[in-house]
Amino acid sequence: MTLLGRFSSSILEPLRRFGGLYSSLIFCVGLFATFAGQLILGKVLSPQDFGTYILIYSVAAILSAVGAAGLDVSAVRFVSVAHAKNDDTKLRSFILYAIRLTALPSIAAALGGALYLYFVDAVSGTILLLSIGIILTWGATRSLSGILRGMGGLSLAIGLDRVARDLAVFLAALAMLFLAWSATLIEALTALFIGGLAGFLVGGTVLLRKFSALRSEPSTGTTPAQAKEWRNASLGLMTYNLTELLSSRFDIIFLSIFLPKDEIGALGILLILMNICAIPSVFIGIFIMPKLAVLASAKDHRGLRQICLFSTAASVGFGALISLVLIALKDPMLDFIGVGLTRYVSMDILVAALVIRCLSMVGTFPAAYLTMTGGHRKLLIVNFSSVAMRTIFYLLLFTQMSAAMGILAFVGAALLVSLVNFALIRREVLSAT
């Protein structure tokens, strides 16, 4: 089989495991709703309101990892094993334990997020209440989606966690745009909350039915050994998820303390554009993960290097293509958004950021490889180091803080993380015989 044929097979087989074309389409809808909804909100909201929305969205995204307590990932492992063995007793025990495990972190995350938002922006009581609701439902939905994935409901889980919340915002933003009403921050946050609440209620109803259908047998309850295993695995994954989300949204969280909200809105638009460039990398990383686990366990270094070569070329190539399209459409795109982006960031900075972001796509393979081979601790340390370096960078250039500095710090850190991850796997994969 040719190199291209082997690579195609390595992509198509994980695609089938990922849930087929239907689940992939749902995932695409979620990504589209997220980015398109936020870009339209940048058009219909005032610059200050949009900046506050981006801040609240970022805080909720990060703290949802705390509320989920790592169960969005660990549940896939533990639930799927119990479900495959038809071990209803262990399945019921895990679900009940998951509810207890997430209760306190969810409340703490919601109240902590509200305090932070009040500190940096002194938002109104209504906005604080909506923010608390958004954080609670986001974290709970993440946990539900993990359990449902483990029970075979992949498409539903993706729809609940990746589509419902942002699709509600996208539809509301479209209505605001075409009906030309004077949109407010409260309306945008209400749409975000309703979408999240709908996902939580649907997921909760489905899980309740599945839970009720499980055989109710006499049980000794969760043993201390089981509880320790579940807790340690979940909290460890929560820490990893938290550092990953914090690394991706740190610039908005940190700079919102010092910059005006309209400039934070401009930074938010820039980050959306950078993340659009990374969409191919996200898909490729998801699709190659199962194959990487198989090849790594078999110590097939030749196969790993082939996937490394093609996944890196595809990620950078497609990212560059998207960047070229964004650059070609920059004038109509900026005219549509209308958040005063060019007032804060020159086109030279935007082009440079897109180029660096494309180069950072070389990290697609090493991140996927480390994830599938137990390298979570290494990824955690790298992500945490990225946050620490950006903090030092901002403090050293405190008087020059700006959206332009923020976007360059973001893409520069992404490139550095990719190179470090490559260095971590070089001897194990690239130099192995």
Side-chain angles (χ1 to χ4, degrees):
M1 183 180 293
T2 64
L3 293 181
L4 182 59
R6 292 192 62 175
F7 179 69
S8 299
S9 176
S10 70
I11 290 295
L12 292 176
E13 177 60 25
L15 177 58
R16 288 191 288 270
R17 296 185 184 184
F18 183 66
L21 182 61
Y22 185 59
S23 297
S24 301
L25 288 175
I26 295 175
F27 190 79
C28 289
V29 170
L31 285 176
F32 174 81
T34 300
F35 297 136
Q38 291 184 2
L39 288 174
I40 296 174
L41 283 180
K43 171 72 173 178
V44 299
L45 293 179
S46 69
Q48 292 76 18
D49 278 355
F50 180 68
T52 302
Y53 176 86
I54 287 293
L55 172 61
I56 293 174
Y57 190 96
S58 299
V59 170
I62 293 171
L63 293 181
S64 68
V66 178
L71 286 164
D72 51 325
V73 181
S74 68
V76 178
R77 169 188 166 190
F78 294 116
V79 171
S80 60
V81 171
H83 185 65
K85 295 180 178 179
N86 293 318
D87 190 345
D88 288 0
T89 300
K90 181 171 287 188
L91 197 52
R92 289 172 64 91
S93 297
F94 181 85
I95 293 172
L96 292 173
Y97 183 78
I99 295 173
R100 296 195 299 270
L101 182 65
T102 57
L104 185 59
S106 296
I107 295 172
L111 294 179
L115 287 174
Y116 175 81
L117 291 171
Y118 184 78
F119 169 72
V120 300
D121 204 22
V123 295
S124 67
T126 302
I127 293 176
L128 284 178
L129 288 175
L130 283 171
S131 301
I132 289 174
I134 291 166
I135 295 171
L136 286 173
T137 55
W138 199 330
T141 303
R142 288 184 65 158
S143 300
L144 286 173
S145 69
I147 295 173
L148 291 173
R149 281 187 66 182
M151 299 178 77
L154 177 59
S155 296
L156 176 62
I158 294 174
L160 297 177
D161 188 39
R162 299 303 302 263
V163 179
R165 180 177 51 253
D166 289 305
L167 184 59
V169 174
F170 172 68
L171 295 176
L174 273 183
M176 296 174 188
L177 179 65
F178 288 112
L179 297 178
W181 79 54
S182 181
T184 65
L185 174 61
I186 289 179
E187 291 168 342
L189 292 176
T190 300
L192 186 63
F193 171 68
I194 291 175
L197 181 62
F200 170 71
L201 292 176
V202 171
T205 301
V206 172
L207 181 60
L208 183 60
R209 290 180 179 176
K210 288 180 177 288
F211 184 80
S212 300
L214 296 175
R215 294 187 301 273
S216 180
E217 299 177 351
S219 173
T220 58
T222 302
T223 66
Q226 284 179 333
K228 182 178 180 180
E229 180 186 11
W230 293 341
R231 182 178 61 253
N232 290 346
S234 298
L235 295 182
L237 289 167
M238 181 196 74
T239 304
Y240 168 66
N241 285 343
L242 188 60
T243 57
E244 186 176 40
L245 284 166
L246 181 61
S247 179
S248 65
R249 296 184 177 272
F250 170 76
D251 306 278
I252 285 179
I253 298 297
F254 186 83
L255 293 177
S256 65
I257 302 174
F258 307 100
L259 299 181
K261 291 301 169 289
D262 55 343
E263 192 165 359
I264 292 297
L267 177 59
I269 292 293
L270 288 168
L271 290 175
I272 292 171
L273 299 181
M274 299 303 114
N275 288 329
I276 289 175
C277 293
I279 289 176
S281 174
V282 172
F283 274 94
I284 291 170
I286 290 173
F287 294 155
I288 67 175
M289 279 183 182
K291 187 66 174 179
L292 290 182
V294 174
L295 293 175
S297 63
K299 299 186 183 302
D300 185 350
H301 300 294
R302 182 170 178 268
L304 289 171
R305 285 193 288 269
Q306 288 176 350
I307 292 184
C308 175
L309 173 63
F310 284 105
S311 62
T312 301
S315 298
V316 175
F318 283 118
L321 181 61
I322 294 175
S323 296
L324 290 174
V325 172
L326 292 176
I327 293 172
L329 299 177
K330 64 181 183 301
D331 292 332
M333 178 180 63
L334 295 177
D335 288 341
F336 171 79
I337 296 170
V339 294
L341 181 61
T342 53
R343 183 153 55 96
Y344 294 110
V345 180
S346 68
M347 291 311 304
D348 291 340
I349 294 292
L350 176 58
V351 172
L354 288 171
V355 171
I356 298 173
R357 184 56 169 157
C358 288
L359 294 176
S360 72
M361 296 301 101
V362 299
T364 301
F365 174 84
Y369 178 82
L370 289 169
T371 299
M372 297 307 294
T373 56
H376 294 91
R377 180 169 296 182
K378 293 179 181 178
L379 290 171
L380 187 153
I381 294 173
V382 172
N383 287 333
F384 183 79
S385 300
S386 169
V387 171
M389 285 188 296
R390 275 181 279 174
T391 302
I392 296 172
F393 174 74
Y394 288 136
L395 293 177
L396 289 176
L397 300 176
F398 180 80
T399 59
Q400 301 177 42
M401 283 187 184
S402 65
M405 177 191 293
I407 197 60
L408 291 178
F410 171 79
V411 295
L415 178 58
L416 184 59
V417 165
S418 296
L419 296 176
V420 170
N421 286 341
F422 241 118
L424 290 174
I425 68 164
R426 182 182 62 81
R427 181 175 299 177
E428 186 175 349
V429 176
L430 302 181
S431 301
T433 58

